[in-house]
Every structure is written in structure tokens, then in C-alpha cells.
Amino acid sequence: MTAYQNEKIYLDHAATTPLDEDIFKKMTPFFKGVFGNASSQHSFGREVANALTCARDDVARAIGVPSKEIYFTCGGTEADNLGIKGISLANAEKGKHIVVSAIEHPAVLESAYSLRQFGYEITEVNPDGDGVIRPESIEKALRPDTVLVAVMSANNETGVIQPIKEIYERVHAAGAYLWCDCVQSAGALPFSLFPADGWAISAHKFNGPKGVGVARIKSGVRFLPQMCGGHQERGLRGGTINTPSIVGCAEALCKAQKNCDEVNAYVSSLRNEFEKRVVALIDGVHINGKNAQRLPSHSDLSISGCEGQNIVMLLDMKGVAASTGAACSSGATTPSHVLTAMGLSAECVSGGVRFSFGKDNTPSEAQIAAQILSEVVSSIRSK
Ligand code: PLP
């Protein structure tokens, strides 16, 4: 039994992050003492409405847009639904053609597919072998009737950062809107890198609470509400305001953005050390997206002769938490649509494992994880 076997190592921050203690403290009063409904006319409601206004202003300032462009949602999935369906349906007179990158999260892909029932046509654009969606490929897919294009800021499996500025120029020149799912980059990279007509943000990816997020939709872009009900969020997203979570979301985003340079440098040093060791210890490792710009946290590996599912299972038995691509699809045996779209071999696709580092990981955890991975790979290969 080796010394490290009692320690658990969490390397799945792309799936979710732990709630920061400071953020939890800021949220706590809104569960009990400050419990009013933000829509109520009395002082209980006003107190909560004030907190909501502050949270909205904080988010807007943090991402550099006017407060009126912020709509709180129950997470990244709802933000993507609102953006993709809401904008496409409200602007149907422009056309019923949507372009999506083939490596989008299911929240985007399934939202787009759901519009087929209303006569929309979907074109999927593949990335290059490094997982980059080329602006020229998007340009080729555009048509006079294209109403919306969706390309994410950075991919959730590979961490590859997309050339959104160049894509935005081309999409706007064609008179279409660009939706950019910023769920993986929010809190780590500035939003100015990703000019778009709308962004999706999810608080649990930057040490905020789960079940809350933001759809930022540019003023002047028409969209239809997808959550019908009361007049909350200026009538565009019904439902009693989830004050504790919204306060937590705003605090977490501000904190993450404030510390991002320092955190990015630290996290990328862990990731780089991990990859250096893995490549030295294990033969036949392919780092997916290695030649592209990547988020500092992500390391997506394909290891020859090994199924990703097996690696993740054996790592878990040894106390290391990693994932096969998107957390939402793990457990299912469907191959990664991201690695498939990148044109990787069937072996690389089935061998994909994602490690994602966070600010609370330590250098020794990165080293131990590489060592444990090499042991797991040896045991699989020896069977
Ligand atoms: N978009 C991306 C890129 C994601 O990684 C995720 C979650 O993993 C989502 C959307 C969905 O966000 P949420 O979990 O807040 O619904």
C-alpha cells in the first residue's frame, strides 16, 4: 500500500467545482433571514429586490455589459436553451437556418435540434484535428437564411479555445446572430475575447452554487421567453427569483475574475507538470488539442490500448476523480462526439480521458495522479 492511497484527488473541475467558503457565507442570510420574494411590494420584498439589483450590476460590471442585458437562469443549460431557441424563434423572418459547431455541449446541440419540429434546418461544422472551429468553415456554412450561429468559447472536453472574434465578424457580415456558450471559460478568461450577441454562464464552474447561471443577451436582440410564467426578469424569464443562488453566482464570478491571472498561472503549471510526467511515464499518449490554445485547467488524453471508461473506473478505485469527456454523458457508452468530430481514430475516441485541475489542487496531487495513471494503464495493458 503506497502512502497516497488514502488521499482522494479531485481532477474533474470541468464537471463542477466545490462551493467557495466565502461565497457560501454571502449566500447564507438569503436562505432564512432575508427570505422575501423579490416581486413583493413590502419591505421584505424590497430588501431582496435590492440584493438582486446589486447582483445583476456586479455580474454586468464583471463581464463588461449593461445590467439590462443580464437574465438570471437556473444554469448554463437554461441559458443555452433561452439563447438558441429564444433568438431563433423570435427572428424567424430572417430565416430558419442555424449553424452550430459539432463540438457544442448537448445544451446547445439539443436546443438546436429541437427547432427542427418548427421547420428549422441545422448545419453542423466540424473542427480541425486540434479541435479548433475554423472561421472559414463557419463562413462556408452561412446562408442568406441563417438566423443564428452557435460556437462555444472553449470546449468542455479538450479545453480548446475558439477564435470567436474572427467568427463573430463573419457571422455579423452575413446578418446573423452569434451565440457563444461561455460556461467553461467564465471566471478564467475575459469575456472581451468572445464578442457575441449572447453568452451562457454557469456559476458551479467557478466555485459558485449549482443550479444558477446567466444568459447575457445583447440589447436590441429579440428573443422569446422559454420559461413562461410571471413577469420576473422583465417578463422574459418567469419564476420566483432564486436570491441565495443569484447572490452566490455574482459573488463567485467577481471573485474568480479578480484572481484569474494568478489562478490561471498556478493551474496551468499543475496541468503542464501532470502532462510532462504522463508523457514520460506512459507510451502511446495523445494530448487532444495539444497544438491549439487551451484553457489552463484541461488535459484531455487518449491512451492507446485503453478504454477511457476503464481508466476512469480504475482511477476512481485508487482515489483519483477524472472523467470521460462531458460529465453529463459519462455512464453512457456513446463515444465522445467532440473527439469524433475532430477526426480522431476510433481508438483515440474510445481512449479519451479528461483531467481538469482547479485552484485547490496541489503540485504533489498532479505528480501523484500521473503516477497512478501510469499504474492503471500498465494494469489494463497487462490483461
Ligand atoms: N455548456 C457547457 C460547455 C458545459 O460544460 C455545461 C456543463 O457541463 C453546460 C453548458 C450546462 O451547464 P449547467 O450544468 O449549469 O446546466
Side-chain angles (χ1 to χ4, degrees):
M1 176 124 154
T2 39
Y4 52 71
Q5 277 177 326
N6 290 327
E7 307 288 332
K8 281 196 178 183
I9 302 177
Y10 184 76
L11 297 180
D12 202 12
H13 293 82
T16 197
T17 56
L19 182 65
D20 188 296
E21 192 57 39
D22 291 347
I23 309 303
F24 179 60
K25 282 195 190 128
K26 293 272 183 191
M27 293 169 65
T28 314
F30 296 94
F31 283 110
K32 226 163 160 255
V34 191
F35 66 88
N37 184 326
S39 306
S40 300
Q41 304 293 310
H42 45 64
S43 63
F44 291 81
R46 279 197 302 278
E47 193 178 9
V48 169
N50 285 340
L52 178 64
T53 303
C54 290
R56 196 184 307 281
D57 292 346
D58 286 347
V59 168
R61 216 173 303 113
I63 68 177
V65 302
S67 299
K68 63 180 182 200
E69 298 188 358
I70 304 298
Y71 301 89
F72 288 109
T73 64
C74 73
T77 300
E78 190 197 335
D80 281 328
N81 272 262
L82 185 58
I84 305 290
K85 296 196 257 181
I87 296 175
S88 302
L89 290 167
N91 294 281
E93 77 282 354
K94 157 87 168 101
K96 288 189 164 188
H97 178 237
I98 296 172
V99 176
V100 293
S101 94
I103 58 169
E104 293 300 299
H105 189 272
V108 167
L109 292 176
E110 295 298 330
S111 293
Y113 301 155
S114 76
L115 293 172
R116 285 184 176 136
Q117 64 184 311
F118 304 115
Y120 286 75
E121 239 185 286
I122 319 295
T123 300
E124 291 187 37
V125 172
N126 281 335
D128 65 15
D130 271 309
V132 179
I133 302 292
R134 294 271 155 222
E136 312 81 75
S137 311
I138 293 289
E139 192 168 11
K140 260 193 226 147
L142 294 170
R143 306 192 319 211
D145 62 340
T146 306
V147 57
L148 184 83
V149 176
V151 183
M152 67 206 319
S153 59
N155 183 259
N156 44 298
E157 291 186 32
T158 60
V160 170
I161 300 167
Q162 304 301 328
I164 296 297
K165 271 188 187 159
E166 293 80 355
I167 290 172
Y168 185 58
E169 282 161 16
R170 286 159 169 86
V171 169
H172 262 216
Y177 292 119
L178 178 66
W179 181 258
C180 185
D181 175 329
C182 290
V183 167
Q184 290 287 324
S185 64
L189 298 181
F191 281 82
S192 55
L193 292 177
F194 309 113
D197 299 293
W199 294 321
I201 301 173
S202 173
H204 73 100
K205 305 291 183 179
F206 43 81
N207 301 100
K210 294 173 190 30
V212 62
V214 173
R216 173 259 165 165
I217 301 180
K218 208 175 189 176
S219 309
V221 176
R222 279 182 294 130
F223 65 98
L224 291 178
Q226 298 302 303
M227 191 72 88
C228 300
H231 56 271
Q232 293 88 355
E233 297 298 89
R234 286 143 287 153
L236 292 162
R237 196 278 180 185
T240 299
I241 294 296
N242 179 358
T243 325
S245 295
I246 288 172
V247 167
C249 174
E251 285 287 332
L253 185 60
C254 293
K255 186 168 178 182
Q257 297 227 143
K258 193 163 144 235
N259 302 327
C260 70
D261 289 343
E262 201 185 317
V263 170
N264 288 348
Y266 177 67
V267 168
S268 66
S269 74
L270 301 184
R271 190 269 311 270
N272 296 345
E273 176 63 19
F274 169 77
E275 289 186 345
K276 202 174 89 189
R277 284 184 179 245
V278 165
V279 169
L281 290 166
I282 309 170
D283 291 333
V285 176
H286 182 259
I287 302 175
N288 298 316
K290 182 172 104 217
N291 302 314
Q293 277 195 306
R294 286 182 293 159
L295 290 172
S297 43
H298 289 48
S299 179
D300 196 54
L301 310 177
S302 290
I303 303 180
S304 68
C306 301
E307 287 282 332
Q309 295 279 347
N310 288 346
I311 297 177
V312 167
M313 201 180 67
L314 293 174
L315 283 173
D316 185 39
M317 287 165 70
K318 289 176 175 266
V320 176
S323 134
T324 52
C328 340
S329 61
S330 60
T333 46
T334 48
S336 155
H337 71 286
V338 174
L339 302 185
T340 304
M342 284 164 66
L344 301 188
S345 66
E347 190 188 33
C348 274
V349 172
S350 67
V353 190
R354 179 187 68 187
F355 299 85
S356 44
F357 292 81
K359 64 184 171 62
D360 298 326
N361 287 129
T362 63
S364 76
E365 286 181 326
Q367 294 164 9
I368 292 168
Q371 178 61 37
I372 294 179
L373 178 62
S374 78
E375 292 167 13
V376 161
V377 169
S378 300
S379 79
I380 294 174
R381 284 179 176 165
S382 67
K383 281 188 187 135

